[in-house]
Amino acid sequence: MPMATINNNGKIQEATCEQELAAIIDSLEILGGKWKLRIMRHLNNHASETNTFKKIQREVEGISSKMLAKELRDLEINLLVTRTVLDTRPVSVSYSITEYGLSVLPVNEVLVQWGLNHRQRLRLS
Amino acid sequence: MPMATINNNGKIQEATCEQELAAIIDSLEILGGKWKLRIMRHLNNHASETNTFKKIQREVEGISSKMLAKELRDLEINLLVTRTVLDTRPVSVSYSITEYGLSVLPVNEVLVQWGLNHRQRLRLS
DNA sequence: GTAACCGGTTACCCCGACGTAACCATCATG
DNA sequence: CATGATGGTTACGTCGGGGTAACCGGTTAC
């Protein structure tokens, strides 16, 4: 039994149950883990600034250069982030959230809401 | 800078950026991983039936009894699922999604939508 | 009594995410 | 020429999620 979903253009997509499962796996793979959403949130919250590698590393608490480089590469591959080499001396590299990357924000928001709500629920129960 | 979120009762909650980060971590911890959402989806899609341990194991493809027992325990601790021992012969145990567990469905849906959309986006690009 | 079904549990293993630390090339400054 | 900043990379180790298989106690059916 296919189910309805809304795509980019607001059109209706049909998806089988297996396709939905695959979609969830994709989402968790691409957005899950310890750092991906933190980085996306940070880039979004500081979208008006120039976010160089070192600046991000200073401001995203606890991340190592190895992890930051890897996560940014993954996000770039998935078109969520752009990498721009600036011709400053010494050379610096700026990362920005793409317009498509903004599509992650609702996912972020739902997870935030559910998590906050869940804390409250457990405290009450 | 606190941000607004909607809680159980539709009231507005304030949360700091760190609280939001913690909330995301919570959500991914409780709903993430390979099996949690699959089980929740299955219980919801078969809410009208009696979902015994073995029945779930047969229908959630690929899960072992060890993982199923662990995941169901976790979900029960988080009040998302109830465990009921039936006095059939031999004894069987039925699991159901709780009313609170239904709050997971929007999270599920957002992940499905984003994943489907992302596949399409990568194919087009 | 033995086979089969139920709902698990236990022991063991593997791999990938993630952490830490050191290192590297390039350029600028003193 | 040494120091510091930039943006990484590499080697190594740890830990936990997850897989596999065997086993268990209780009960019923043959």
Side-chain angles (χ1 to χ4, degrees):
Chain A
M1 172 184 13
M3 296 183 158
T5 306
I6 300 179
N7 74 1
N8 282 335
N9 315 314
K11 290 178 191 164
I12 300 295
Q13 275 183 67
E14 298 290 329
T16 64
C17 186
E18 300 93 60
Q19 287 174 324
E20 294 197 356
L21 280 177
I24 293 180
I25 292 168
D26 286 357
S27 296
L28 289 179
E29 202 162 293
I30 294 168
L31 304 177
K34 186 167 176 181
W35 298 112
K36 298 268 167 58
L37 280 179
R38 289 195 211 197
I39 294 170
M40 292 299 286
R41 284 166 59 86
H42 187 267
L43 289 182
N44 184 59
N45 290 339
H46 299 72
S48 62
E49 310 166 28
T50 299
N51 292 291
T52 66
F53 187 89
K54 270 293 191 292
K55 178 169 179 291
I56 298 173
Q57 193 179 358
R58 274 190 303 265
E59 294 172 357
V60 175
E61 220 162 317
I63 196 166
S64 68
S65 54
K66 168 189 151 189
M67 285 309 295
L68 182 54
K70 188 213 168 227
E71 301 293 76
L72 286 171
R73 216 180 305 127
D74 292 348
L75 293 173
E76 196 193 355
I77 289 172
N78 283 300
L79 310 179
L80 300 172
V81 150
T82 52
R83 194 185 109 111
T84 313
V85 178
L86 310 177
D87 63 345
T88 55
R89 307 296 150 127
V91 176
S92 61
V93 180
S94 152
Y95 292 90
S96 311
I97 192 169
T98 62
E99 207 189 320
Y100 174 52
L102 298 177
S103 71
V104 168
L105 299 181
V107 181
N108 173 83
E109 192 52 31
V110 167
L111 291 173
V112 167
Q113 278 190 32
W114 195 87
L116 287 174
N117 187 19
H118 187 65
R119 285 222 163 174
Q120 208 182 38
R121 171 65 58 126
L122 287 194
R123 239 186 305 122
L124 298 179
S125 71
Chain B
M1 170 182 18
M3 295 183 158
T5 306
I6 300 180
N7 74 1
N8 281 334
N9 315 314
K11 292 179 192 166
I12 299 296
Q13 274 184 69
E14 298 289 330
T16 64
C17 186
E18 301 93 61
Q19 285 174 326
E20 293 197 358
L21 280 177
I24 293 180
I25 292 168
D26 286 357
S27 296
L28 289 180
E29 201 163 291
I30 294 167
L31 304 177
K34 186 167 177 181
W35 299 112
K36 298 268 167 60
L37 280 179
R38 289 195 210 196
I39 294 170
M40 291 299 286
R41 284 166 59 85
H42 187 267
L43 289 182
N44 184 59
N45 289 339
H46 300 73
S48 62
E49 310 166 28
T50 300
N51 292 292
T52 66
F53 187 91
K54 269 295 192 289
K55 178 168 179 290
I56 298 173
Q57 193 180 358
R58 273 189 304 265
E59 295 171 357
V60 174
E61 220 162 317
I63 196 166
S64 67
S65 54
K66 167 191 151 187
M67 286 308 296
L68 183 55
K70 188 212 168 228
E71 301 293 74
L72 287 171
R73 215 180 306 128
D74 292 349
L75 293 173
E76 196 194 356
I77 288 172
N78 284 299
L79 310 179
L80 300 171
V81 150
T82 52
R83 194 186 110 109
T84 314
V85 178
L86 310 175
D87 63 344
T88 55
R89 307 295 152 129
V91 176
S92 60
V93 179
S94 153
Y95 292 90
S96 312
I97 192 169
T98 61
E99 207 190 320
Y100 174 51
L102 298 177
S103 71
V104 167
L105 299 180
V107 181
N108 173 83
E109 192 51 32
V110 166
L111 291 174
V112 167
Q113 278 190 30
W114 195 88
L116 287 174
N117 187 19
H118 187 65
R119 285 223 162 171
Q120 209 182 37
R121 172 65 59 126
L122 287 195
R123 239 186 304 123
L124 298 179
S125 71

